[in-house]
mmCIF file of all heavy atoms in Angstrom:
data_model
loop_
_atom_site.group_PDB
_atom_site.id
_atom_site.type_symbol
_atom_site.label_atom_id
_atom_site.label_comp_id
_atom_site.label_asym_id
_atom_site.label_seq_id
_atom_site.Cartn_x
_atom_site.Cartn_y
_atom_site.Cartn_z
ATOM 1 N N TYR A 1 2.573 18.357 6.663
ATOM 2 C CA TYR A 1 2.669 19.693 6.076
ATOM 3 C C TYR A 1 2.387 19.735 4.583
ATOM 4 O O TYR A 1 2.391 20.811 3.977
ATOM 5 C CB TYR A 1 4.056 20.278 6.345
ATOM 6 C CG TYR A 1 5.170 19.556 5.627
ATOM 7 C CD1 TYR A 1 5.560 19.935 4.347
ATOM 8 C CD2 TYR A 1 5.835 18.488 6.222
ATOM 9 C CE1 TYR A 1 6.578 19.278 3.686
ATOM 10 C CE2 TYR A 1 6.851 17.819 5.569
ATOM 11 C CZ TYR A 1 7.230 18.228 4.300
ATOM 12 O OH TYR A 1 8.232 17.565 3.647
ATOM 13 N N TYR A 2 2.166 18.578 3.939
ATOM 14 C CA TYR A 2 1.933 18.578 2.495
ATOM 15 C C TYR A 2 0.717 19.429 2.139
ATOM 16 O O TYR A 2 -0.280 19.449 2.894
ATOM 17 C CB TYR A 2 1.693 17.156 1.991
ATOM 18 C CG TYR A 2 2.941 16.314 1.814
ATOM 19 C CD1 TYR A 2 4.175 16.717 2.301
ATOM 20 C CD2 TYR A 2 2.871 15.099 1.138
ATOM 21 C CE1 TYR A 2 5.307 15.934 2.138
ATOM 22 C CE2 TYR A 2 4.000 14.307 0.956
ATOM 23 C CZ TYR A 2 5.214 14.738 1.465
ATOM 24 O OH TYR A 2 6.330 13.956 1.295
ATOM 25 N N PRO A 3 0.745 20.098 0.989
ATOM 26 C CA PRO A 3 -0.454 20.811 0.526
ATOM 27 C C PRO A 3 -1.621 19.841 0.360
ATOM 28 O O PRO A 3 -1.420 18.645 0.075
ATOM 29 C CB PRO A 3 -0.023 21.396 -0.825
ATOM 30 C CG PRO A 3 1.464 21.395 -0.798
ATOM 31 C CD PRO A 3 1.884 20.243 0.064
ATOM 32 N N TYR A 4 -2.812 20.362 0.534
ATOM 33 C CA TYR A 4 -4.009 19.521 0.464
ATOM 34 C C TYR A 4 -4.093 18.782 -0.867
ATOM 35 O O TYR A 4 -4.458 17.599 -0.910
ATOM 36 C CB TYR A 4 -5.251 20.385 0.673
ATOM 37 C CG TYR A 4 -6.552 19.603 0.688
ATOM 38 C CD1 TYR A 4 -6.814 18.671 1.686
ATOM 39 C CD2 TYR A 4 -7.520 19.807 -0.302
ATOM 40 C CE1 TYR A 4 -8.000 17.953 1.706
ATOM 41 C CE2 TYR A 4 -8.712 19.096 -0.285
ATOM 42 C CZ TYR A 4 -8.945 18.176 0.717
ATOM 43 O OH TYR A 4 -10.122 17.476 0.724
ATOM 44 N N SER A 5 -3.724 19.455 -1.965
ATOM 45 C CA SER A 5 -3.803 18.818 -3.291
ATOM 46 C C SER A 5 -2.867 17.620 -3.386
ATOM 47 O O SER A 5 -3.201 16.600 -4.003
ATOM 48 C CB SER A 5 -3.458 19.833 -4.385
ATOM 49 O OG SER A 5 -2.153 20.363 -4.185
ATOM 50 N N LEU A 6 -1.684 17.722 -2.774
ATOM 51 C CA LEU A 6 -0.732 16.607 -2.798
ATOM 52 C C LEU A 6 -1.221 15.456 -1.926
ATOM 53 O O LEU A 6 -1.070 14.279 -2.286
ATOM 54 C CB LEU A 6 0.643 17.083 -2.342
ATOM 55 C CG LEU A 6 1.764 16.033 -2.317
ATOM 56 C CD1 LEU A 6 1.900 15.347 -3.672
ATOM 57 C CD2 LEU A 6 3.083 16.675 -1.889
ATOM 58 N N LYS A 7 -1.825 15.787 -0.793
ATOM 59 C CA LYS A 7 -2.401 14.738 0.053
ATOM 60 C C LYS A 7 -3.465 13.964 -0.706
ATOM 61 O O LYS A 7 -3.515 12.727 -0.645
ATOM 62 C CB LYS A 7 -2.986 15.349 1.321
ATOM 63 C CG LYS A 7 -1.962 15.929 2.270
ATOM 64 C CD LYS A 7 -2.637 16.541 3.499
ATOM 65 C CE LYS A 7 -1.621 17.156 4.445
ATOM 66 N NZ LYS A 7 -2.243 17.741 5.639
ATOM 67 N N LEU A 8 -4.315 14.683 -1.430
ATOM 68 C CA LEU A 8 -5.361 14.020 -2.211
ATOM 69 C C LEU A 8 -4.754 13.136 -3.294
ATOM 70 O O LEU A 8 -5.256 12.037 -3.560
ATOM 71 C CB LEU A 8 -6.282 15.063 -2.842
ATOM 72 C CG LEU A 8 -7.237 15.808 -1.904
ATOM 73 C CD1 LEU A 8 -8.090 16.790 -2.694
ATOM 74 C CD2 LEU A 8 -8.122 14.834 -1.134
ATOM 75 N N ARG A 9 -3.688 13.603 -3.927
ATOM 76 C CA ARG A 9 -3.036 12.798 -4.961
ATOM 77 C C ARG A 9 -2.505 11.491 -4.382
ATOM 78 O O ARG A 9 -2.724 10.412 -4.938
ATOM 79 C CB ARG A 9 -1.878 13.582 -5.577
ATOM 80 C CG ARG A 9 -1.022 12.740 -6.522
ATOM 81 C CD ARG A 9 0.297 13.423 -6.872
ATOM 82 N NE ARG A 9 1.148 12.489 -7.591
ATOM 83 C CZ ARG A 9 2.099 11.749 -7.028
ATOM 84 N NH1 ARG A 9 2.315 11.829 -5.736
ATOM 85 N NH2 ARG A 9 2.816 10.920 -7.757
ATOM 86 N N ILE A 10 -1.814 11.566 -3.258
ATOM 87 C CA ILE A 10 -1.214 10.373 -2.655
ATOM 88 C C ILE A 10 -2.289 9.398 -2.198
ATOM 89 O O ILE A 10 -2.146 8.178 -2.363
ATOM 90 C CB ILE A 10 -0.306 10.779 -1.479
ATOM 91 C CG1 ILE A 10 0.898 11.572 -2.007
ATOM 92 C CG2 ILE A 10 0.162 9.550 -0.701
ATOM 93 C CD1 ILE A 10 1.721 12.217 -0.919
ATOM 94 N N LEU A 11 -3.374 9.925 -1.648
ATOM 95 C CA LEU A 11 -4.445 9.075 -1.129
ATOM 96 C C LEU A 11 -5.385 8.566 -2.214
ATOM 97 O O LEU A 11 -6.178 7.664 -1.978
ATOM 98 C CB LEU A 11 -5.267 9.853 -0.088
ATOM 99 C CG LEU A 11 -4.548 10.188 1.225
ATOM 100 C CD1 LEU A 11 -5.359 11.205 2.018
ATOM 101 C CD2 LEU A 11 -4.323 8.920 2.044
ATOM 102 N N GLY A 12 -5.300 9.133 -3.412
ATOM 103 C CA GLY A 12 -6.241 8.806 -4.474
ATOM 104 C C GLY A 12 -5.938 7.494 -5.170
ATOM 105 O O GLY A 12 -4.941 6.814 -4.895
ATOM 106 N N LYS A 13 -6.793 7.151 -6.113
ATOM 107 C CA LYS A 13 -6.681 5.877 -6.826
ATOM 108 C C LYS A 13 -5.487 5.823 -7.770
ATOM 109 O O LYS A 13 -5.143 4.747 -8.270
ATOM 110 C CB LYS A 13 -7.968 5.587 -7.597
ATOM 111 C CG LYS A 13 -9.155 5.264 -6.692
ATOM 112 C CD LYS A 13 -10.365 4.849 -7.504
ATOM 113 C CE LYS A 13 -11.513 4.433 -6.580
ATOM 114 N NZ LYS A 13 -12.701 3.992 -7.338
ATOM 115 N N GLU A 14 -4.854 6.963 -8.033
ATOM 116 C CA GLU A 14 -3.647 6.983 -8.856
ATOM 117 C C GLU A 14 -2.437 7.423 -8.037
ATOM 118 O O GLU A 14 -1.464 7.951 -8.575
ATOM 119 C CB GLU A 14 -3.842 7.900 -10.064
ATOM 120 C CG GLU A 14 -4.874 7.381 -11.061
ATOM 121 C CD GLU A 14 -4.932 8.193 -12.323
ATOM 122 O OE1 GLU A 14 -4.500 9.365 -12.308
ATOM 123 O OE2 GLU A 14 -5.377 7.645 -13.343
ATOM 124 N N GLY A 15 -2.507 7.188 -6.732
ATOM 125 C CA GLY A 15 -1.435 7.608 -5.839
ATOM 126 C C GLY A 15 -0.574 6.464 -5.364
ATOM 127 O O GLY A 15 0.073 5.784 -6.168
ATOM 128 N N HIS A 16 -0.595 6.211 -4.038
ATOM 129 C CA HIS A 16 0.289 5.219 -3.435
ATOM 130 C C HIS A 16 -0.457 4.400 -2.393
ATOM 131 O O HIS A 16 -1.403 4.881 -1.764
ATOM 132 C CB HIS A 16 1.473 5.914 -2.762
ATOM 133 C CG HIS A 16 2.391 6.606 -3.713
ATOM 134 N ND1 HIS A 16 3.379 5.955 -4.393
ATOM 135 C CD2 HIS A 16 2.452 7.908 -4.106
ATOM 136 C CE1 HIS A 16 4.034 6.813 -5.157
ATOM 137 N NE2 HIS A 16 3.481 8.013 -5.006
ATOM 138 N N LEU A 17 0.011 3.173 -2.175
ATOM 139 C CA LEU A 17 -0.578 2.311 -1.154
ATOM 140 C C LEU A 17 -0.100 2.716 0.235
ATOM 141 O O LEU A 17 1.095 2.910 0.469
ATOM 142 C CB LEU A 17 -0.202 0.847 -1.388
ATOM 143 C CG LEU A 17 -0.853 0.090 -2.540
ATOM 144 C CD1 LEU A 17 -0.415 -1.366 -2.499
ATOM 145 C CD2 LEU A 17 -2.359 0.206 -2.517
ATOM 146 N N SER A 18 -1.044 2.817 1.171
ATOM 147 C CA SER A 18 -0.712 3.073 2.566
ATOM 148 C C SER A 18 -0.231 1.789 3.238
ATOM 149 O O SER A 18 -0.361 0.678 2.691
ATOM 150 C CB SER A 18 -1.940 3.596 3.306
ATOM 151 O OG SER A 18 -2.924 2.572 3.399
ATOM 152 N N ASN A 19 0.300 1.935 4.443
ATOM 153 C CA ASN A 19 0.666 0.757 5.233
ATOM 154 C C ASN A 19 -0.528 -0.171 5.419
ATOM 155 O O ASN A 19 -0.411 -1.399 5.294
ATOM 156 C CB ASN A 19 1.175 1.187 6.613
ATOM 157 C CG ASN A 19 2.456 1.989 6.551
ATOM 158 O OD1 ASN A 19 3.192 1.933 5.577
ATOM 159 N ND2 ASN A 19 2.718 2.741 7.610
ATOM 160 N N ASP A 20 -1.682 0.411 5.736
ATOM 161 C CA ASP A 20 -2.885 -0.396 5.984
ATOM 162 C C ASP A 20 -3.317 -1.142 4.728
ATOM 163 O O ASP A 20 -3.673 -2.328 4.787
ATOM 164 C CB ASP A 20 -4.019 0.499 6.476
ATOM 165 C CG ASP A 20 -3.666 1.210 7.766
ATOM 166 O OD1 ASP A 20 -3.891 0.648 8.840
ATOM 167 O OD2 ASP A 20 -3.144 2.339 7.684
ATOM 168 N N ALA A 21 -3.308 -0.438 3.587
ATOM 169 C CA ALA A 21 -3.713 -1.078 2.338
ATOM 170 C C ALA A 21 -2.742 -2.190 1.959
ATOM 171 O O ALA A 21 -3.147 -3.258 1.475
ATOM 172 C CB ALA A 21 -3.798 -0.034 1.218
ATOM 173 N N CYS A 22 -1.469 -1.955 2.176
ATOM 174 C CA CYS A 22 -0.461 -2.987 1.923
ATOM 175 C C CYS A 22 -0.735 -4.219 2.780
ATOM 176 O O CYS A 22 -0.700 -5.357 2.292
ATOM 177 C CB CYS A 22 0.921 -2.422 2.217
ATOM 178 S SG CYS A 22 2.269 -3.622 2.080
ATOM 179 N N GLY A 23 -1.020 -3.991 4.058
ATOM 180 C CA GLY A 23 -1.319 -5.106 4.952
ATOM 181 C C GLY A 23 -2.535 -5.891 4.527
ATOM 182 O O GLY A 23 -2.549 -7.127 4.566
ATOM 183 N N ARG A 24 -3.583 -5.171 4.106
ATOM 184 C CA ARG A 24 -4.809 -5.863 3.655
ATOM 185 C C ARG A 24 -4.542 -6.686 2.402
ATOM 186 O O ARG A 24 -5.073 -7.796 2.253
ATOM 187 C CB ARG A 24 -5.912 -4.839 3.410
ATOM 188 C CG ARG A 24 -6.452 -4.193 4.683
ATOM 189 C CD ARG A 24 -7.727 -3.432 4.414
ATOM 190 N NE ARG A 24 -7.535 -2.328 3.480
ATOM 191 C CZ ARG A 24 -7.226 -1.084 3.841
ATOM 192 N NH1 ARG A 24 -7.033 -0.784 5.126
ATOM 193 N NH2 ARG A 24 -7.094 -0.132 2.945
ATOM 194 N N MET A 25 -3.727 -6.145 1.517
ATOM 195 C CA MET A 25 -3.386 -6.880 0.306
ATOM 196 C C MET A 25 -2.618 -8.152 0.635
ATOM 197 O O MET A 25 -2.891 -9.235 0.102
ATOM 198 C CB MET A 25 -2.557 -5.985 -0.615
ATOM 199 C CG MET A 25 -2.278 -6.567 -1.988
ATOM 200 S SD MET A 25 -1.404 -5.358 -3.000
ATOM 201 C CE MET A 25 -1.334 -6.237 -4.562
ATOM 202 N N LEU A 26 -1.667 -8.035 1.558
ATOM 203 C CA LEU A 26 -0.869 -9.193 1.938
ATOM 204 C C LEU A 26 -1.688 -10.240 2.671
ATOM 205 O O LEU A 26 -1.398 -11.437 2.574
ATOM 206 C CB LEU A 26 0.315 -8.746 2.788
ATOM 207 C CG LEU A 26 1.424 -8.026 2.013
ATOM 208 C CD1 LEU A 26 2.414 -7.381 2.973
ATOM 209 C CD2 LEU A 26 2.143 -8.992 1.080
ATOM 210 N N ARG A 27 -2.713 -9.820 3.404
ATOM 211 C CA ARG A 27 -3.578 -10.794 4.089
ATOM 212 C C ARG A 27 -4.173 -11.777 3.100
ATOM 213 O O ARG A 27 -4.387 -12.946 3.423
ATOM 214 C CB ARG A 27 -4.689 -10.069 4.845
ATOM 215 C CG ARG A 27 -4.245 -9.392 6.112
ATOM 216 C CD ARG A 27 -5.361 -8.672 6.824
ATOM 217 N NE ARG A 27 -6.351 -9.604 7.360
ATOM 218 C CZ ARG A 27 -7.255 -9.271 8.278
ATOM 219 N NH1 ARG A 27 -7.290 -8.026 8.758
ATOM 220 N NH2 ARG A 27 -8.124 -10.161 8.731
ATOM 221 N N ARG A 28 -4.435 -11.314 1.912
ATOM 222 C CA ARG A 28 -4.990 -12.193 0.880
ATOM 223 C C ARG A 28 -3.896 -13.015 0.215
ATOM 224 O O ARG A 28 -4.084 -14.206 -0.060
ATOM 225 C CB ARG A 28 -5.732 -11.346 -0.160
ATOM 226 C CG ARG A 28 -6.383 -12.139 -1.269
ATOM 227 C CD ARG A 28 -7.279 -11.236 -2.100
ATOM 228 N NE ARG A 28 -7.719 -11.882 -3.319
ATOM 229 C CZ ARG A 28 -8.464 -11.272 -4.244
ATOM 230 N NH1 ARG A 28 -8.855 -10.019 -4.057
ATOM 231 N NH2 ARG A 28 -8.825 -11.913 -5.345
ATOM 232 N N LEU A 29 -2.733 -12.404 -0.014
ATOM 233 C CA LEU A 29 -1.672 -13.088 -0.741
ATOM 234 C C LEU A 29 -1.027 -14.222 0.050
ATOM 235 O O LEU A 29 -0.553 -15.195 -0.532
ATOM 236 C CB LEU A 29 -0.590 -12.084 -1.155
ATOM 237 C CG LEU A 29 -0.942 -11.134 -2.300
ATOM 238 C CD1 LEU A 29 0.164 -10.098 -2.481
ATOM 239 C CD2 LEU A 29 -1.169 -11.898 -3.595
ATOM 240 N N VAL A 30 -0.979 -14.105 1.380
ATOM 241 C CA VAL A 30 -0.256 -15.114 2.157
ATOM 242 C C VAL A 30 -0.932 -16.474 2.155
ATOM 243 O O VAL A 30 -0.328 -17.461 2.595
ATOM 244 C CB VAL A 30 -0.042 -14.661 3.620
ATOM 245 C CG1 VAL A 30 0.916 -13.490 3.682
ATOM 246 C CG2 VAL A 30 -1.356 -14.340 4.313
ATOM 247 N N HIS A 31 -2.137 -16.567 1.670
ATOM 248 C CA HIS A 31 -2.791 -17.870 1.592
ATOM 249 C C HIS A 31 -2.349 -18.654 0.359
ATOM 250 O O HIS A 31 -2.794 -19.773 0.137
ATOM 251 C CB HIS A 31 -4.305 -17.705 1.599
ATOM 252 C CG HIS A 31 -4.841 -17.264 2.924
ATOM 253 N ND1 HIS A 31 -5.006 -18.123 3.989
ATOM 254 C CD2 HIS A 31 -5.202 -16.043 3.379
ATOM 255 C CE1 HIS A 31 -5.475 -17.462 5.029
ATOM 256 N NE2 HIS A 31 -5.599 -16.192 4.693
ATOM 257 N N HIS A 32 -1.464 -18.060 -0.429
ATOM 258 C CA HIS A 32 -0.942 -18.735 -1.614
ATOM 259 C C HIS A 32 0.523 -19.117 -1.363
ATOM 260 O O HIS A 32 0.867 -19.546 -0.264
ATOM 261 C CB HIS A 32 -1.136 -17.836 -2.834
ATOM 262 C CG HIS A 32 -2.584 -17.528 -3.102
ATOM 263 N ND1 HIS A 32 -3.394 -18.320 -3.882
ATOM 264 C CD2 HIS A 32 -3.378 -16.524 -2.645
ATOM 265 C CE1 HIS A 32 -4.621 -17.827 -3.918
ATOM 266 N NE2 HIS A 32 -4.637 -16.733 -3.173
ATOM 267 N N ARG A 33 1.401 -18.925 -2.319
ATOM 268 C CA ARG A 33 2.789 -19.368 -2.177
ATOM 269 C C ARG A 33 3.670 -18.380 -1.428
ATOM 270 O O ARG A 33 4.794 -18.715 -1.035
ATOM 271 C CB ARG A 33 3.396 -19.598 -3.570
ATOM 272 C CG ARG A 33 2.878 -20.819 -4.268
ATOM 273 C CD ARG A 33 3.415 -20.937 -5.685
ATOM 274 N NE ARG A 33 4.860 -20.777 -5.774
ATOM 275 C CZ ARG A 33 5.540 -20.998 -6.888
ATOM 276 N NH1 ARG A 33 4.906 -21.356 -7.984
ATOM 277 N NH2 ARG A 33 6.847 -20.827 -6.910
ATOM 278 N N LEU A 34 3.202 -17.174 -1.245
ATOM 279 C CA LEU A 34 4.053 -16.095 -0.764
ATOM 280 C C LEU A 34 4.666 -16.397 0.602
ATOM 281 O O LEU A 34 3.956 -16.694 1.561
ATOM 282 C CB LEU A 34 3.244 -14.798 -0.683
ATOM 283 C CG LEU A 34 4.028 -13.548 -0.298
ATOM 284 C CD1 LEU A 34 5.098 -13.236 -1.343
ATOM 285 C CD2 LEU A 34 3.084 -12.370 -0.137
ATOM 286 N N ARG A 35 6.010 -16.267 0.679
ATOM 287 C CA ARG A 35 6.692 -16.478 1.950
ATOM 288 C C ARG A 35 7.756 -15.423 2.245
ATOM 289 O O ARG A 35 8.284 -15.379 3.362
ATOM 290 C CB ARG A 35 7.347 -17.874 1.964
ATOM 291 C CG ARG A 35 6.331 -19.022 2.077
ATOM 292 C CD ARG A 35 5.560 -18.938 3.390
ATOM 293 N NE ARG A 35 4.527 -19.954 3.502
ATOM 294 C CZ ARG A 35 3.257 -19.781 3.148
ATOM 295 N NH1 ARG A 35 2.865 -18.612 2.640
ATOM 296 N NH2 ARG A 35 2.380 -20.738 3.284
ATOM 297 N N TYR A 36 8.078 -14.580 1.274
ATOM 298 C CA TYR A 36 9.116 -13.571 1.474
ATOM 299 C C TYR A 36 8.557 -12.207 1.075
ATOM 300 O O TYR A 36 8.122 -12.014 -0.062
ATOM 301 C CB TYR A 36 10.349 -13.880 0.615
ATOM 302 C CG TYR A 36 10.954 -15.236 0.884
ATOM 303 C CD1 TYR A 36 10.514 -16.365 0.185
ATOM 304 C CD2 TYR A 36 11.964 -15.395 1.829
ATOM 305 C CE1 TYR A 36 11.063 -17.613 0.425
ATOM 306 C CE2 TYR A 36 12.517 -16.648 2.074
ATOM 307 C CZ TYR A 36 12.066 -17.749 1.360
ATOM 308 O OH TYR A 36 12.615 -18.975 1.607
ATOM 309 N N ILE A 37 8.580 -11.260 2.029
ATOM 310 C CA ILE A 37 7.985 -9.946 1.803
ATOM 311 C C ILE A 37 8.971 -8.852 2.192
ATOM 312 O O ILE A 37 9.526 -8.856 3.297
ATOM 313 C CB ILE A 37 6.700 -9.748 2.626
ATOM 314 C CG1 ILE A 37 5.651 -10.802 2.266
ATOM 315 C CG2 ILE A 37 6.128 -8.345 2.431
ATOM 316 C CD1 ILE A 37 4.516 -10.876 3.281
ATOM 317 N N LEU A 38 9.199 -7.916 1.281
ATOM 318 C CA LEU A 38 9.899 -6.674 1.593
ATOM 319 C C LEU A 38 8.923 -5.524 1.388
ATOM 320 O O LEU A 38 8.299 -5.419 0.332
ATOM 321 C CB LEU A 38 11.098 -6.474 0.660
ATOM 322 C CG LEU A 38 12.464 -7.002 1.084
ATOM 323 C CD1 LEU A 38 13.513 -6.609 0.051
ATOM 324 C CD2 LEU A 38 12.866 -6.489 2.464
ATOM 325 N N LEU A 39 8.780 -4.678 2.383
ATOM 326 C CA LEU A 39 7.969 -3.484 2.246
ATOM 327 C C LEU A 39 8.842 -2.390 1.649
ATOM 328 O O LEU A 39 9.967 -2.154 2.104
ATOM 329 C CB LEU A 39 7.431 -3.045 3.611
ATOM 330 C CG LEU A 39 6.692 -4.122 4.404
ATOM 331 C CD1 LEU A 39 6.221 -3.562 5.743
ATOM 332 C CD2 LEU A 39 5.512 -4.680 3.604
ATOM 333 N N GLY A 40 8.340 -1.718 0.604
ATOM 334 C CA GLY A 40 9.172 -0.769 -0.111
ATOM 335 C C GLY A 40 8.492 0.542 -0.426
ATOM 336 O O GLY A 40 7.318 0.750 -0.121
ATOM 337 N N HIS A 41 9.267 1.418 -1.037
ATOM 338 C CA HIS A 41 8.814 2.747 -1.461
ATOM 339 C C HIS A 41 8.223 3.548 -0.304
ATOM 340 O O HIS A 41 7.203 4.226 -0.447
ATOM 341 C CB HIS A 41 7.818 2.632 -2.621
ATOM 342 C CG HIS A 41 7.825 3.831 -3.529
ATOM 343 N ND1 HIS A 41 7.245 5.024 -3.177
ATOM 344 C CD2 HIS A 41 8.345 4.018 -4.758
ATOM 345 C CE1 HIS A 41 7.399 5.891 -4.157
ATOM 346 N NE2 HIS A 41 8.084 5.306 -5.135
#
């Protein structure tokens, strides 16, 4: 139900990470030292 302008803000480059984007980011990070993950916000 969010207004279209708010949807664009959240989805934009100055908004927030989606579940999918978070997952893609973690796919890269887990090849390093990372072993403990909390999903937040």
Side-chain angles (χ1 to χ4, degrees):
Y1 67 89
Y2 281 11
Y4 183 65
S5 59
L6 180 54
K7 292 179 181 180
L8 288 181
R9 172 193 171 264
I10 294 170
L11 292 168
K13 290 186 176 181
E14 293 187 339
H16 294 277
L17 287 185
S18 68
N19 295 339
D20 300 272
C22 175
R24 290 193 298 269
M25 187 176 185
L26 287 169
R27 285 179 68 164
R28 181 170 169 183
L29 286 173
V30 292
H31 289 282
H32 299 272
R33 288 175 49 172
L34 185 63
R35 288 298 176 267
Y36 302 89
I37 300 165
L38 269 184
L39 307 179
H41 208 285

